[in-house]
Amino acid sequence: MDDESVSDSEQNRTTTANMSVPYRRLSGFYLFYFAVTGAFVPYWSVYLKEIGYGAVAIGIVMALPMATKIFAPYIWGAIADFTGRRVWTIRLAAILAASSMAVLAVEQGIWWLIIVITIFSFFWNAALPQFEAVTLNHLYPRGEHYYSLIRLWGSVGFILSVLCLGWAFDWFSIIWLPSILTILLTLLWVMSLKVPEAAMPALNQHEKSLNKVIRQPTVVFLLLTCFLIQASHGPYYSFFTLYLHKNGYGSGLSGLLWSIGVFAEIAIFMFMHRLLPWFGARKLLLFATVITTVRWSLIAGWANDLPVLVFGQTLHAASYGIYHVASISLIHRYFPGRLQGRGQALYSSLSFGLGGALGSIMSGYAWNALGPSEIYWIAAALALLSTIIVYWGVGRPLPAS
């Protein structure tokens, strides 16, 4: 009787502790992480052009952070899953990423650039998939559909970064970009020190092995969809700013256009905790792939029409916001318990990693061989193919454990 009372008391204390979600600290990490993204993704290609590189070299260098996502997240995810030290892994990755970026200023030769960016990316790409798992574990008592209310602060960080730098680079040289990134990465590491560890899910004797999960057809088609969607984003993340410059838009307006997309992303994040349980992740993912096809078509065909371009940027709400939350939810359900870290890492590796890298490299070659607008028509075709795969191949989410 006494033993049962003690057990019940301990269970109640555990439940109460789990329900104490550190929203501000989780949100702060997302804010700084995506402030780094807002400095790197829109402006790194411009920086490379400034120091003398052409389209093919830019496409290859821009593919490196995505290429390291093919293997880095899974390596770090396996370490975190087996050791249970997920937050420690995030902190180590953040400080090593900052240190790697700091040495970039030593030289600007192509091989030095490739080596340093590869090392930087290996550590930088380790942090986010593990932090996604930490966030979802903290949110477990309330449900993963509240994830978007925390993740939206990453979008705020991206907007602040891309807007401020877009304005700043009209006044001083973009050659300072590596130093700015080093400062932001250091602040990210400081913020990681404030994030508490989340309890690892209990081991379930009925839990499937990783191999059994990834052999399920619906999981295969989901990962293929994510690969194609991120491949279709390759031209956007690697060449959108240069594409805007080629069509007569300055750095300030380019930064504003990037920000419009992220404002739309924030807006949809504020409602995803309601949309996800109402419509379900599969329907939302299907909708997102359709809208992504429309978005790349508009950017390809009407880049000189500013109102159409602005409207196309608002569709980022679906092509990234809805897509990402729906995918994260499906991955979280398909990879339960102690598979979460590797599940999120696999999602990151195959989509943002392999898909993004191939999309970036393809864009670099197609920019010269076909033309700037044609790379977005190719992106639209990839998004359309992903729509077909979701419709026919991706089943409904598995029941919650």
Side-chain angles (χ1 to χ4, degrees):
M1 183 74 168
D2 290 340
D3 289 341
E4 290 179 359
S5 298
V6 170
S7 178
D8 290 344
S9 176
E10 289 178 352
Q11 184 176 2
N12 290 336
R13 283 198 300 271
T14 301
T15 302
T16 301
N18 286 340
M19 293 184 69
S20 179
V21 180
Y23 283 104
R24 291 183 180 178
R25 284 171 283 179
L26 295 172
S27 300
F29 184 91
Y30 280 112
L31 188 144
F32 280 103
Y33 186 91
F34 285 96
V36 174
T37 306
F40 186 86
V41 173
Y43 299 116
W44 194 250
S45 59
V46 183
Y47 167 78
L48 294 174
K49 184 180 179 182
E50 178 69 19
I51 62 176
Y53 290 104
V56 173
I58 291 172
I60 292 172
V61 173
M62 290 297 291
L64 292 174
M66 303 173 195
T68 56
K69 283 184 181 179
I70 299 171
F71 57 90
Y74 191 82
I75 292 172
W76 291 90
I79 294 170
D81 278 346
F82 286 114
T83 64
R85 303 181 67 187
R86 207 176 301 281
V87 172
W88 176 86
T89 302
I90 294 166
R91 292 168 182 166
L92 179 63
I95 191 60
L96 292 176
S99 302
S100 302
M101 182 57 68
V103 305
L104 187 64
V106 173
E107 190 181 333
Q108 293 180 343
I110 184 63
W111 287 109
W112 177 256
L113 188 68
I114 288 174
I115 292 169
V116 172
I117 291 300
T118 301
I119 294 172
F120 155 74
S121 303
F122 179 75
F123 297 122
W124 186 42
N125 289 329
L128 187 60
Q130 300 317 306
F131 198 77
E132 302 278 31
V134 168
T135 301
L136 291 168
N137 284 338
H138 275 299
L139 288 174
Y140 172 71
R142 297 191 65 184
E144 68 270 12
H145 49 276
Y146 283 93
Y147 159 85
S148 60
L149 296 178
I150 294 175
R151 173 58 182 79
L152 68 84
W153 287 99
S155 304
V156 172
F158 186 96
I159 283 178
L160 291 175
S161 181
V162 75
L163 269 182
C164 291
L165 291 178
W167 173 82
F169 290 143
D170 282 335
W171 291 89
F172 63 83
S173 176
I174 199 170
I175 205 74
W176 290 99
L177 183 58
S179 299
I180 294 169
L181 285 166
T182 301
I183 293 170
L184 290 173
L185 286 161
T186 303
L187 293 173
L188 176 68
W189 171 71
V190 171
M191 183 55 64
S192 72
L193 299 177
K194 300 179 181 294
V195 176
E197 186 70 79
M200 291 286 284
L203 187 63
N204 187 336
Q205 62 178 342
H206 301 296
E207 205 169 271
K208 294 181 180 179
S209 68
L210 181 65
N211 288 335
K212 287 184 178 179
V213 170
I214 62 178
R215 283 201 296 262
Q216 295 178 77
T218 190
V219 175
V220 172
F221 286 124
L222 172 61
L223 293 174
L224 179 58
T225 297
C226 295
F227 164 80
L228 289 170
I229 284 293
Q230 287 309 309
S232 81
H233 277 73
Y236 179 68
Y237 289 134
S238 298
F239 286 95
F240 187 60
T241 304
L242 291 176
Y243 184 60
L244 293 175
H245 288 180
K246 190 173 182 65
N247 283 279
Y249 302 101
S251 294
L253 186 54
S254 298
L256 181 60
L257 285 167
W258 275 95
S259 300
I260 288 171
V262 187
F263 274 120
E265 177 186 312
I266 291 174
I268 200 65
F269 277 155
M270 294 177 69
F271 295 99
M272 282 302 294
H273 69 290
R274 298 185 185 277
L275 296 178
L276 196 57
W278 283 350
F279 294 102
R282 179 186 177 276
K283 289 181 180 178
L284 290 173
L285 182 61
L286 180 62
F287 174 76
T289 59
V290 171
I291 298 302
T292 303
T293 306
V294 173
R295 184 188 183 193
W296 302 145
S297 300
L298 293 176
I299 292 177
W302 290 272
N304 291 315
D305 192 330
L306 184 58
V308 173
L309 197 59
V310 168
F311 174 70
Q313 284 299 91
T314 65
L315 300 184
H316 192 71
S319 69
Y320 180 78
I322 294 177
Y323 154 78
H324 180 62
V325 174
S327 299
I328 283 285
S329 177
L330 288 168
I331 292 293
H332 186 63
R333 290 174 181 268
Y334 288 152
F335 295 85
R338 292 182 178 269
L339 298 179
Q340 286 178 12
R342 280 167 289 171
Q344 295 297 342
L346 194 61
Y347 162 67
S348 179
S349 297
L350 294 178
S351 59
F352 298 101
L354 185 60
L358 291 179
S360 179
I361 293 172
M362 170 202 73
S363 302
Y365 283 100
W367 179 281
N368 288 333
L370 301 176
S373 63
E374 280 72 17
I375 64 176
Y376 289 96
W377 286 118
I378 295 172
L382 293 175
L384 180 61
L385 179 58
S386 73
T387 301
I388 297 170
I389 292 172
V390 174
Y391 184 80
W392 291 107
V394 178
R396 299 184 183 277
L398 297 176
S401 300

